[in-house]
Amino acid sequence: MTDRSNTVATIRDNALWMRRKAFTMVYNKQLGHPGGDFSSIDVLATLFFGVMRFDPANPRKADRDRFVMSKGHATGALYTGLCKAGFYPEELLETYMGPGSRLNGHPNRQYLPGVEANTGPLGHGLPIATGIAIAGQIDGASYRTFVLTGDGELQEGSNWEAAMTAGHRHLSHLTVIVDRNRLQQGQGTEETSRLDPLPEKWQAFGWDVFEVDGHNHESLLDVLGAAPGDKPRCVIANTVKGKGVSFMENQAKWHHGVPDAEQFAQAMEELV
């Protein structure tokens, strides 16, 4: 196998492990947001195992690439990815959302290595990531900053203030990935507050825009691993909420649904 095919195989295997582990965590605690976990896991697996520079033994290393999980409720995806990347042992995942656990329902940088920002209130991640990218631009640093937002989250106006600032400052080392699963809590994004035409909105704010299948690891690797240009980059990742489990896919109720024993068993049979 070539180096690239090895990388894609590693991303695929780790994404499957993350799905199985994240769903187990949600089942055990009967808490979580598995639909959004599953729509975003392939993006995170590609970033952590194919694109980003970081050192789990030195998580605050100055030249590391930064990742901000703006859709901070999708902690199953984030915690399993950081664990698999080597930031903390797998045993810690068993404490997910338990009393006194470091693995809160929303990520906290004071508790866990690899977490760049406390997120959860939607609309905060992109402004934080924009500030990180501005600092890197001022310092002449080479690190890249990646931020994953939900599509429903883009209804928050703070995102567009940050987008305008990033476009104005030509923050070429900043990449936002939109988890475009078209569902949010309760119903579709277009029924709640229409986002389309979404690519043209980002372009109007001075961003280079790319659309990609958010579950195709090769396509994600191409677009996320490409060298920066002279503008910030927006990657619209077209995804499926609950991807990988038949009864969860494209179902708004699985935004924060939790499985019973029968559903858990079925999911484990399908996630192979």
Side-chain angles (χ1 to χ4, degrees), residues 92-104:
L92 189 62
L93 296 179
E94 298 174 7
T95 73
Y96 179 65
M97 290 204 201
S101 174
R102 295 159 62 196
L103 305 184
N104 288 349

Side-chain angles (χ1 to χ4, degrees), residues 205-225:
F205 280 81
W207 291 60
D208 284 332
V209 179
F210 306 85
E211 287 197 74
V212 67
D213 178 345
H215 303 298
N216 185 308
H217 301 129
E218 292 202 37
S219 298
L220 286 167
L221 190 60
D222 285 340
V223 70
L224 295 173

Side-chain angles (χ1 to χ4, degrees), residues 213-249:
D213 178 345
H215 303 298
N216 185 308
H217 301 129
E218 292 202 37
S219 298
L220 286 167
L221 190 60
D222 285 340
V223 70
L224 295 173
D230 62 356
K231 296 179 180 180
R233 297 160 58 89
C234 173
V235 176
I236 298 174
N238 292 302
T239 62
V240 174
K241 197 149 195 156
K243 175 68 175 179
V245 176
S246 59
F247 60 82
M248 290 173 58
E249 290 188 353

Side-chain angles (χ1 to χ4, degrees), residues 71-210:
K71 48 176 290 179
H73 52 284
T75 50
L78 179 62
Y79 293 157
T80 55
L82 291 175
C83 173
K84 194 66 173 176
F87 283 94
Y88 44 82
E90 185 176 342
E91 292 74 22
L92 189 62
L93 296 179
E94 298 174 7
T95 73
Y96 179 65
M97 290 204 201
S101 174
R102 295 159 62 196
L103 305 184
N104 288 349
H106 293 145
N108 188 318
R109 70 189 303 271
Q110 303 300 322
Y111 296 162
L112 288 176
V115 175
E116 294 288 347
N118 296 12
T119 53
L122 299 178
H124 288 192
L126 180 54
I128 292 170
T130 299
I132 293 171
I134 290 172
Q137 185 183 64
I138 291 171
D139 290 343
S142 62
Y143 67 75
R144 300 180 67 184
T145 303
F146 299 90
V147 55
L148 180 67
T149 74
D151 49 3
E153 179 182 1
L154 295 182
Q155 294 156 9
E156 299 281 358
S158 52
N159 288 299
W160 300 105
E161 295 178 43
M164 181 168 58
T165 299
H168 173 72
R169 297 186 66 107
H170 293 269
L171 297 180
S172 59
H173 281 58
L174 174 63
T175 297
V176 60
I177 306 109
V178 180
D179 182 4
R180 188 67 167 122
N181 61 40
R182 295 182 174 271
L183 287 171
Q184 58 192 92
Q185 182 173 325
Q187 63 180 0
T189 58
E190 306 311 285
E191 289 71 49
T192 304
S193 183
R194 188 174 63 250
L195 290 171
D196 283 331
L198 190 56
E200 289 81 354
K201 285 183 169 71
W202 286 96
Q203 289 167 347
F205 280 81
W207 291 60
D208 284 332
V209 179
F210 306 85

